[in-house]
Amino acid sequence: MEEEKRTEKTETKKKNEIKEVTPRKRKRSKKFFLLYIAIAAFVVYASFTIINQSIEINDKRNKLKKIEDQLEIVEIQSDYLKEIKNYKGKDLSEYIENIAREDLDYIKNGERIFVNVAGD
């Protein structure tokens, strides 16, 4: 009787140990697939954003360079005008005469201007 119980126990253990495994559909793969798509979309978005921002930064740097150049010109003109402001007497009359001759093409009484038509 004891032997029969032992054999029954071992048979039930063997039956319990051997099970047929049925393949399950993986729901995780869909989750991971969506995750991969989301990551790829984020990477594409981030790369376009970075490229766009680098282009904008380059444009802003060019505008800044132009403005700095203009500022430098205005500072030079300002320094020149401050220097002229202090002219008095003879210096002022020489400055006015120089402007009249070079910029306005005026001449003194009795002067003659010769123009080189040959271009040499």
Side-chain angles (χ1 to χ4, degrees):
M1 201 157 160
E2 283 184 30
E3 284 183 33
E4 288 179 19
K5 286 183 183 180
R6 283 185 187 170
T7 54
E8 284 180 23
K9 286 182 183 180
T10 54
E11 286 179 14
T12 56
K13 283 184 183 179
K14 287 181 183 178
K15 287 182 184 178
N16 289 340
E17 289 178 14
I18 301 174
K19 291 183 179 179
E20 185 177 339
V21 178
T22 57
R24 296 180 188 169
K25 290 185 181 179
R26 291 187 172 183
K27 291 183 181 179
R28 283 182 153 181
S29 64
K30 289 182 182 178
K31 289 180 183 178
F32 285 125
F33 182 71
L34 292 176
L35 180 65
Y36 292 142
I37 288 176
I39 290 172
F42 176 74
V43 168
V44 169
Y45 170 75
S47 62
F48 278 124
T49 303
I50 290 171
I51 291 170
N52 188 25
Q53 286 180 351
S54 66
I55 290 170
E56 287 182 19
I57 288 171
N58 195 19
D59 290 343
K60 299 295 182 183
R61 283 183 181 158
N62 290 338
K63 287 181 183 179
L64 179 63
K65 177 74 173 131
K66 288 179 183 177
I67 291 172
E68 286 175 346
D69 291 343
Q70 290 174 350
L71 178 64
E72 187 176 338
I73 290 170
V74 169
E75 286 176 348
I76 291 171
Q77 289 174 344
S78 175
D79 291 341
Y80 179 70
L81 291 174
K82 285 179 184 176
E83 183 181 325
I84 292 172
K85 179 182 169 185
N86 296 328
Y87 284 175
K88 293 181 182 173
K90 187 178 178 184
D91 291 336
L92 182 60
S93 63
E94 286 177 0
Y95 172 74
I96 292 172
E97 183 180 330
N98 190 23
I99 294 294
R101 284 178 180 265
E102 292 179 7
D103 295 341
L104 302 175
D105 294 329
Y106 285 179
I107 58 172
K108 285 184 177 180
N109 288 336
E111 271 188 341
R112 287 206 237 163
I113 302 292
F114 294 97
V115 178
N116 185 1
V117 254
D120 293 335

